[in-house]
Amino acid sequence: MANTPEITGPISQEDIEAAEKFKNEANEYFKKQNYNSAIEYYSKAIEKNPNNAVFYANRSIANLRLENFGYALIDASKAIELDKCYTKAYYRRAAAHMSLGKYKLALKDFEYVTKVRPNDQDAKKKYNECNKIALKIAFEKAISVDKKEVNIADSINLDAMTIEDEYEGPEMEDGKVTLKFVTELMEFYKQQKKLHKKYAYKILIDVKAYLQKQPSLVDIKVPDEAKFTVCGDIHGQYYDLMNIFKLNGLPSETNPFLFNGDFVDRGSFSVECIFTLFSFKLLFPNHFFMSRGNHETLDMNRMYGFRGEVTSKYTSQMADLFTEVYNWLPLAHCINGRVLVMHGGLFSKDDVTLDDIRRVDRNKQPPEDGIMCELLWSDPQPMAGRAPSRRGVGCQFGPDVTAAFCDRNGLDYIIRSHEVKNDGYEVAHDGKCITVFSAPNYCDTMGNLGAFITMNGKDLTPKFTTYEAVPHPDVKPMAYANSFFSLLCQ
């Protein structure tokens, strides 16, 4: 995002007209869901005429679509500074606050609009809805404090759950996940059918018990001649996940995988994705790995659909259990001591070591700063040094930061995910920072390819396989997302 230009004098009519032209071009890109180009042209409009609040508000919504919540917040605030009665700018800022879990700040924006426009029924409605959400979350937090000793996994009575005679789906054998179970489950899900709740709960309880014994940084040993695959974000795109397995083979002891976070949210088949992945984790615990992403968190799941999807397909109790399980997902993996894989990126401090990651107490919701937060949220930048994150969480780190981190920790390079890339992957920072993103045509709108990385244990040279999105049933992305949030982002 371009910096806000300094206003040095009166703006010419020529610049005002040029700015309008850039804005109109940006609007066309926005309609085509090409948000990066839209941002570029809104920025050009701002350079020509930095006094127009609409340009900032429009760039704010484009940044929201790209999950650049920090930049969206800055732009909305600038629009408000220029026009204190500009309702849409308050809505944009509220959406950015809500995306960052700052519900009280979002509420303040709506409260202000209702004061300056007391007859605006739409503003009043949004205020009331936001207030409901804030009160509900405050209530949930109060309950969680009161019940923090309660272990949901231990409170589930599987024996009391009966398998009905009419259930025709996959079944565990002696309470265990088998290859037959997973194979049948994947086909069952393709037909849009639902796994029995008894097996669903059993998977979650067993996965949690396994993950609790794992360190925050898992070391993976890949033999010299063995193949290893790393996948990025899946985001509930179940049919694209199936395509990965079609292209690369099913996970097995001779075909190990690492899925690098953001298995859920956005896409509306997140339940199917996560139970398939967790089943493979139980089937091949030493050859199938899963890192936590920033969307394996409560605030993200509330806003972007996973919690709503689980509650719709099962129960709110199961949604709470997922939160409990996600808290135990490892934060990073190190392949043969030479390649570090994490969802987000590197750190705001220079002296972080692999041992520091190993020592992180991960059984919690991510804090707003520090190692755990940055592993889940940070992004690379082409410039040297560091910068505040455009997302409003984590940091941005340059090639010098990556090189120094790799040197300090004896690494060849790092792999991370977290960002849509047109080709499904990007090699940056002189080959030392690789991004892989495995959800093609993200949210049915971005038009990007998906990708996964394969390597052998000897030289660990990354090879990239890219692929297009495959058809899926007519269930739109964000179908289970918080409807109020969707309303704000119109």
Side-chain angles (χ1 to χ4, degrees):
M1 183 182 75
N3 291 326
T4 302
E6 290 296 321
I7 304 170
T8 54
I11 299 163
S12 69
Q13 186 62 33
E14 184 182 353
D15 280 346
I16 289 172
E17 289 172 3
E20 281 296 317
K21 186 179 176 185
F22 283 133
K23 182 201 78 171
N24 292 336
E25 288 182 72
N27 288 348
E28 289 304 311
Y29 280 118
F30 188 90
K31 286 175 191 171
K32 294 172 186 172
Q33 297 166 331
N34 185 341
Y35 303 121
N36 283 309
S37 294
I39 288 168
E40 180 186 343
Y41 278 85
Y42 287 135
S43 298
K44 288 180 179 181
I46 288 167
E47 285 172 19
K48 290 291 184 184
N49 180 7
N51 292 343
N52 192 317
V54 172
F55 301 162
Y56 293 97
N58 287 5
R59 191 169 69 176
S60 178
I61 184 65
N63 271 307
L64 277 168
R65 293 289 166 87
L66 292 176
E67 300 186 17
N68 297 336
F69 308 130
Y71 282 1
L73 195 61
I74 291 167
D75 275 342
S77 295
K78 182 63 180 177
I80 290 166
E81 180 187 322
L82 290 168
D83 182 355
K84 287 196 164 46
C85 295
Y86 188 14
T87 306
K88 266 191 180 176
Y90 287 95
Y91 293 168
R92 303 285 186 263
R93 191 164 73 178
H97 280 316
M98 291 184 78
S99 298
L100 292 166
K102 310 283 188 185
Y103 303 103
K104 288 182 180 177
L105 290 174
L107 194 60
K108 279 186 179 178
D109 281 334
F110 290 121
E111 190 174 24
Y112 181 81
V113 175
T114 57
K115 282 180 180 175
V116 298
R117 302 183 67 165
N119 298 322
D120 188 331
Q121 294 304 311
D122 182 55
K124 197 170 289 185
K125 179 183 175 184
K126 286 185 169 73
Y127 171 80
N128 289 335
E129 285 299 311
C130 186
N131 194 36
K132 279 184 199 172
I133 293 169
L135 289 171
K136 182 182 177 186
I137 288 166
F139 179 68
E140 286 174 358
K141 284 183 177 176
I143 289 175
S144 69
V145 170
D146 290 342
K147 298 184 177 180
K148 61 184 176 182
E149 301 304 321
V150 173
N151 185 313
I152 296 168
D154 290 344
S155 71
I156 304 296
N157 185 356
L158 291 173
D159 293 334
M161 298 181 194
T162 56
I163 310 292
E164 298 80 6
D165 291 340
E166 58 268 27
Y167 176 71
E168 296 179 343
E171 297 185 349
M172 291 183 172
E173 295 175 24
D174 298 323
K176 301 287 185 187
V177 168
T178 62
L179 183 58
K180 179 175 182 287
F181 174 86
V182 186
T183 305
E184 290 180 0
L185 178 63
M186 290 187 291
E187 290 303 315
F188 199 60
Y189 279 154
K190 285 178 188 176
Q191 299 164 33
Q192 293 183 269
K193 295 181 178 177
K194 189 173 79 171
L195 178 65
H196 195 280
K197 66 178 181 180
K198 182 169 186 173
Y199 298 131
Y201 273 112
K202 183 71 163 68
I203 288 169
L204 290 175
I205 291 166
D206 289 355
V207 163
K208 184 191 172 193
Y210 180 86
L211 293 176
Q212 281 180 291
K213 299 171 186 172
Q214 299 304 294
S216 291
L217 170 59
V218 173
D219 288 287
I220 301 172
K221 178 62 180 169
V222 181
D224 283 357
E225 302 308 317
K227 169 186 156 187
F228 191 80
T229 301
V230 180
C231 297
D233 302 40
I234 297 297
H235 274 302
Q237 296 184 199
Y238 178 73
Y239 296 85
D240 294 308
L241 173 62
M242 292 298 98
N243 190 40
I244 292 172
F245 293 151
K246 180 180 177 182
L247 294 170
N248 198 51
L250 287 179
S252 69
E253 292 181 354
T254 56
N255 193 27
F257 277 77
L258 164 57
F259 280 83
N260 195 28
D262 282 13
F263 323 114
V264 301
D265 277 340
R266 297 281 191 179
S268 296
F269 304 97
S270 292
V271 163
E272 291 79 359
C273 285
I274 195 63
F275 278 123
T276 300
L277 295 173
F278 276 164
S279 294
F280 275 119
K281 181 63 189 170
L282 292 172
L283 187 58
F284 303 116
N286 299 317
H287 298 86
F288 191 89
F289 304 92
M290 298 172 70
S291 299
R292 191 176 189 176
N294 66 302
H295 277 266
E296 280 69 58
T297 55
L298 182 55
D299 279 337
M300 291 291 109
N301 292 167
R302 275 193 188 113
M303 297 304 298
Y304 290 99
F306 182 64
R307 189 171 180 86
E309 184 180 343
V310 176
T311 303
S312 172
K313 293 177 179 177
Y314 291 99
T315 63
S316 60
Q317 180 196 47
M318 184 180 286
D320 292 338
L321 179 54
F322 266 109
T323 300
E324 199 171 276
V325 174
Y326 287 161
N327 282 351
W328 286 106
L329 283 165
L331 302 177
H333 294 78
C334 191
I335 304 170
N336 290 358
R338 292 165 52 195
V339 179
L340 185 68
V341 187
M342 79 292 277
H343 179 73
L346 296 180
F347 312 100
S348 55
K349 295 181 179 177
D350 283 328
D351 56 354
V352 176
T353 66
L354 298 186
D355 282 339
D356 291 327
I357 299 172
R358 289 186 178 96
R359 286 192 288 266
V360 172
D361 174 14
R362 71 185 187 280
N363 179 27
K364 59 188 175 185
Q365 291 301 295
E368 293 187 9
D369 53 27
I371 290 174
M372 182 176 178
C373 167
E374 290 161 354
L375 283 167
L376 301 185
W377 279 96
S378 291
D379 295 291
Q381 63 178 20
M383 307 80 71
R386 295 180 176 89
S389 171
R390 63 180 180 272
R391 299 176 189 267
V393 190
C395 73
Q396 292 177 197
F397 58 96
D400 54 328
V401 175
T402 302
F405 178 81
C406 288
D407 286 347
R408 186 179 307 109
N409 290 285
L411 300 170
D412 294 358
Y413 60 94
I414 65 169
I415 297 174
R416 41 91 60 185
S417 301
H418 194 39
E419 284 183 284
V420 183
K421 297 296 176 185
N422 285 339
D423 295 326
Y425 72 94
E426 181 181 75
V427 181
H429 294 185
D430 304 311
K432 289 186 179 293
C433 179
I434 295 173
T435 299
V436 60
F437 191 86
S438 300
N441 194 24
Y442 180 44
C443 287
D444 286 359
T445 61
M446 300 299 285
N448 59 291
L449 296 175
F452 56 81
I453 298 170
T454 54
M455 63 185 77
N456 66 49
K458 186 175 183 180
D459 59 32
L460 299 174
T461 301
K463 297 179 178 62
F464 304 96
T465 300
T466 62
Y467 48 90
E468 295 182 346
V470 297
H472 64 75
D474 189 21
V475 183
K476 302 299 183 193
M478 301 283 281
Y480 299 94
N482 187 297
S483 57
F484 177 63
F485 177 70
S486 300
L487 188 67
L488 286 181
C489 287
Q490 297 300 312

